[in-house]
């Protein structure tokens, strides 16, 4: 609680100093933005802790343990992708996929989460992974430092709710993100939570004026919750391959509709 | 065929009379083009409007404009209310898009209402959007299953097919046709944006018909497909209403569910052409494979005749002139029985890119319409199975669909009769 308040104050100061957004919305958004910074900060802390444990297991050659830690340690990253992606260099080394690199998996530039995922699930080996693991942890630490010093651009934060849905709609619903481990449903959960968090933070500002809009958005988030809950297993989710065709379509429809609706969120808050 | 009234030639002759008398012959002759007539150079206008309202949907017997596509969707609709909502929204969008008009202007802080591909006023550009339903829409919904058209099935493999599951079937197709590619894409993007919660795109294939210049008598030759042959010469005449009622449209006495009257079966096939290999095949062999002259489209037994003259197989029983296994002879042996197997073809050529083997990925987006899918496409394709043309073509996708009856008035909507029937209590 204490931490939260001090951070909120820091965020407020930063935001006011930046003066980067519309006059009317400005004061209104100060609080949601500060709270979002708290949320992101907590996520990056958790990310660092989780990745430290994950990479330690990788370096120790504990394949089963590393496999078990892979999906949960990604979740904090996936939830804050709109902010994490502001640092393109880090996003590329933390979360790029094989097809982002010429030659795919064989390319030495293919590092980060998915390189380790490939080794664990396809190669069943951690051989030669130590430098990749070290780099991932270092990148995550660097991300935390950079985020701490960042003034959150309001349009990126508010736009992030839609951006997360666009990501899922464009390149995740196909199951291509976690193609070796099929742990995509964990990522989805985090993407949806990250998007919904943003909606929750700005809700008070538009609750009266946009009641119908919010009702539709809520209904679609709930639709997603219902589908995902069917695939829950322990702390996480079953393999993405278990998703039925019907549920994949229902998920697709809800994600596309959320992307469409949330694309209006910035405008509804008066942001350019 | 051969019976008078079935062929395009009879009507074209009539047109010839007008040509002599009228100085504006060219436009008069084109007043009522035939479904497979090639689009004429410089004739299309962005203001061309194909009426949306009518007992039957547009885009079936409507002459092909220069561009067409088929887009296939999965449908989200768990009950009759949801299905009705989908049909109403589709109707509303198609009615707007085919009539054209200014697109709404919104606060610039919001995403624009329209993709803007056609500018501030979306002009209709000859647009048609034809809605058809796949077997899975019925099969996957117990409350809709009893209403499935009798002959609607999931397309099954023919011997030469190499079907790519990502290009097959679907709950609902839109056949979108217009004078320009932009107008078809504008319509597709509008519908995707308008109905994201009920329509999920599964696949699409675009194609085009080459635009041709009319001859001195105002008539046009059939457009060529990517094998370089005229395509459409022997199509049944779409201006002959009685013929279309028999060949294309499902009528009240056809044994189909009541709601289906005024609809039609749509068969879609994405057929890749091995064009490099075709271009390395002797001309004489190409013509024997197709059964027509390549340059003129004339039947092989009347080489100086026009493409619209049919072959006379009775005089060529052993296939000396038109080989017995040529495409057109197998597709339509023109005997007493084969008259029951007529189909209305409405294809577009497609050109997609390059295959992994470094060959052109080109072919035919084959679309045909018929009142009876079994007697029509399926029977014709069965006769074609094993034809010599197979060495040069490979069907990779498509499916069977049922074209909904039309929307008669602005207060009506697509699928109204189907939804009403789905709401009726049924026994068992
Ligand atoms: C890439 C594949 C195909 C090509 C290149 C092709 C080409 C042609 C050509 C050049 C003609 C002669 C001109 C005309 O009458 O239109 C023709 C006729 C015809 N084709 Fe095809 N075709 C293809 C596939 C099919 C398929 C899949 C069917 C139906 C199952 C079909 C049914 C017919 C019929 C019924 C005729 C008219 C025969 C007649 O009445 O004389 N074609 N086709
Ligand atoms: Cu990601």
């Amino acid at each position: 609680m204490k931490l939260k308040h001090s951070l909120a104050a820091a965020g407020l100061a930063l935001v006011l100093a930046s003066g980067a957004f519309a006059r009317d919305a400005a004061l209104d958004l100060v609080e949601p933005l500060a709270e979002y910074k708290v949320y992101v900060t907590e996520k990056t802390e958790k990310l660092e802790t989780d990745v430290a444990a994950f990479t330690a297991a990788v370096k120790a050659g504990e394949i089963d343990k590393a496999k078990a830690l892979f999906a949960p340690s990604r979740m904090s990253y996936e939830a804050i992708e709109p902010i994490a992606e502001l640092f393109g260099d880090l996003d590329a080394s933390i979360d790029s996929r094989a097809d982002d690199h010429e030659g795919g998996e064989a390319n030495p530039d293919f590092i980060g989460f998915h390189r380790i995922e490939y080794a664990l699930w396809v190669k069943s080996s951690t051989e030669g992974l130590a430098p990749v693991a070290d780099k991932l942890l270092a990148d995550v630490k660097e991300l935390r430092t950079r985020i701490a010093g960042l003034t959150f651009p309001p349009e990126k934060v508010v736009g992030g709710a839609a951006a997360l849905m666009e990501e899922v709609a464009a390149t995740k619903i196909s199951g291509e993100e976690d193609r070796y481990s099929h742990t995509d449903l964990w990522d989805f959960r985090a993407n949806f939570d990250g998007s919904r968090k943003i909606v929750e933070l700005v809700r008070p500002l538009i609750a009266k004026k946009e009641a119908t809009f919010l009702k539709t958005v809520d209904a679609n988030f709930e639709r997603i919750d219902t589908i995902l809950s069917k695939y829950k297993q322990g702390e996480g989710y079953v393999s993405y391959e278990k998703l039925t065709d019907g549920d994949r379509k229902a998920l697709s429809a809800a994600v596309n509709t959320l992307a469409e609706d949330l694309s209006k969120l910035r405008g509804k808050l008066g942001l350019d | 065929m051969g019976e008078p009234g079935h062929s395009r030639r009879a009507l074209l002759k009539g047109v010839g009379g007008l040509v002599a008398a009228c100085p504006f012959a060219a436009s008069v002759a084109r007043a009522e083009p035939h479904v497979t007539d090639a689009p004429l150079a410089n004739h299309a206008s962005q203001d061309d409007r194909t009426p949306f309202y009518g007992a039957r949907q547009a885009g079936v017997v409507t002459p092909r404009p220069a561009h067409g596509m088929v887009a296939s969707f999965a449908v989200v609709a768990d009950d009759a209310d949801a299905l009705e909502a989908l049909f109403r929204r589709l109707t509303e969008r198609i009615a707007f898009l085919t009539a054209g008009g200014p697109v709404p202007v919104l606060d610039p802080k919001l995403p624009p209402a329209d993709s803007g591909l056609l500018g501030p006023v979306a002009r209709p550009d000859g647009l048609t959007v034809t809605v058809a339903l796949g077997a899975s829409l019925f099969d996957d919904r117990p409350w809709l299953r009893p209403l499935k058209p009798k002959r609607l099935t999931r397309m099954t493999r023919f011997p030469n097919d190499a079907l790519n599951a990502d290009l097959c079937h679907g709950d609902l197709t839109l056949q979108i046709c217009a004078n320009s590619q932009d107008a078809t894409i504008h319509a597709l993007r509008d519908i995707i944006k308008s109905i994201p919660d009920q329509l999920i795109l599964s696949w699409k294939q675009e194609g085009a018909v080459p635009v041709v210049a009319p001859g001195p008598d105002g008539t046009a030759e059939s457009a060529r497909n990517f094998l370089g042959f005229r395509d459409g010469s022997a199509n049944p005449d779409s201006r002959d209403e009685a013929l279309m009622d028999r060949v294309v449209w499902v009528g009240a006495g056809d044994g189909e569910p009541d709601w289906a009257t005024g609809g039609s079966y749509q068969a879609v096939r994405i057929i890749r052409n091995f064009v490099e290999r075709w271009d390395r095949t002797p001309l004489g062999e190409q013509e024997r494979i197709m059964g027509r002259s390549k340059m003129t489209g004339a039947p092989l037994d009347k080489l100086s005749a026009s493409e619209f003259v049919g072959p006379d197989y009775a005089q060529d029983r052993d296939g000396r002139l038109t080989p017995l296994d040529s495409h057109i002879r197998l597709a339509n042996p023109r005997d007493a029985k084969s008259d029951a197997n007529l189909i209305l073809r409405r294809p577009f050529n497609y050109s997609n890119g390059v295959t992994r083997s470094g060959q052109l990925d080109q072919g035919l987006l084959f679309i045909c319409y018929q009142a009876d899918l079994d007697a029509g496409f399926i029977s014709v394709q069965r006769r074609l199975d094993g034809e010599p043309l197979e060495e040069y073509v490979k069907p990779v996708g498509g499916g069977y669909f049922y074209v909904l009856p039309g929307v008669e008035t602005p207060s009506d909507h697509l699928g109204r009769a189907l939804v009403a029937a789905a709401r009726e209590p049924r026994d068992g």
Side-chain angles (χ1 to χ4, degrees), chain A residues 5 223 257:
Chain A
H5 278 136
R223 208 158 280 145
T257 311

Side-chain angles (χ1 to χ4, degrees), chain A residues 32 36 45 60 92 96 100 113 138 149 161 191 198 205 214 245 249 267:
Chain A
Y36 187 63
E45 279 165 13
S96 72
D100 296 330
F113 271 121
N191 292 145
I198 296 167
L205 305 181
L214 286 169
D245 206 37
K249 283 174 193 160

Side-chain angles (χ1 to χ4, degrees), chain B residues 31 79 170 176 185 190 240 246 258 289 361 407:
Chain B
D79 52 32
I176 308 179
I185 292 177
D190 181 288
D240 182 337
R246 176 165 77 80
D258 288 343
I289 288 173
D361 184 2
V407 178

Side-chain angles (χ1 to χ4, degrees), chain A residues 36 39-40 43-44 46-48 50-51 70-96 113-114 136 139-140 143-144 147 164 167 172 177 187 190-191 194:
Chain A
Y36 187 63
Y39 172 79
V40 172
K43 289 283 177 200
T44 38
K46 175 137 173 51
L47 178 68
E48 195 180 311
D50 290 348
V51 167
F70 170 75
S73 29
R74 291 177 51 73
M75 289 183 82
S76 311
Y77 189 81
E78 290 292 323
I80 59 159
E81 252 185 339
I83 295 302
E85 279 176 359
L86 295 178
F87 308 104
D89 57 332
L90 291 180
D91 190 44
S93 63
I94 293 173
D95 200 32
S96 72
F113 271 121
H114 296 302
L136 177 61
D139 284 339
V140 162
L143 178 68
R144 193 178 153 196
I147 285 178
L164 279 160
E167 290 259 333
K172 294 189 176 182
E177 170 101 57
D187 284 27
N191 292 145

Side-chain angles (χ1 to χ4, degrees), chain B residues 149-196:
Chain B
K150 288 283 164 309
R151 291 158 184 109
L152 187 61
T153 54
R154 184 182 152 98
M155 181 177 78
T156 50
R157 183 178 172 273
F158 292 90
N160 188 41
D161 292 5
L163 298 177
N164 172 352
D166 295 339
L167 296 175
C168 290
H169 319 303
D171 293 337
L172 181 148
T173 55
L174 302 178
Q175 180 203 249
I176 308 179
C177 306
N179 296 330
S180 69
Q181 187 192 34
D182 308 62
T184 61
I185 292 177
H186 173 262
L188 177 67
R189 280 171 57 176
D190 181 288
I191 290 170
I192 288 173
K193 186 175 175 64
S194 305
I195 317 180

Side-chain angles (χ1 to χ4, degrees), chain A residues 132-154:
Chain A
V132 181
D134 287 341
K135 170 80 169 129
L136 177 61
L137 184 57
D139 284 339
V140 162
K141 286 185 169 155
E142 170 68 13
L143 178 68
R144 193 178 153 196
T145 312
R146 290 205 211 165
I147 285 178
L150 175 74
T151 302
F152 281 25

Side-chain angles (χ1 to χ4, degrees), chain A residues 11-55:
Chain A
L12 185 90
L14 282 168
V15 160
L16 284 178
S18 83
F21 50 93
R23 301 110 283 171
D24 296 348
L27 278 174
D28 289 350
L29 275 169
V30 167
E31 193 160 336
L33 282 173
E35 275 192 52
Y36 187 63
K37 184 151 189 179
V38 173
Y39 172 79
V40 172
T41 304
E42 286 173 357
K43 289 283 177 200
T44 38
E45 279 165 13
K46 175 137 173 51
L47 178 68
E48 195 180 311
T49 317
D50 290 348
V51 167
F54 172 57
T55 51

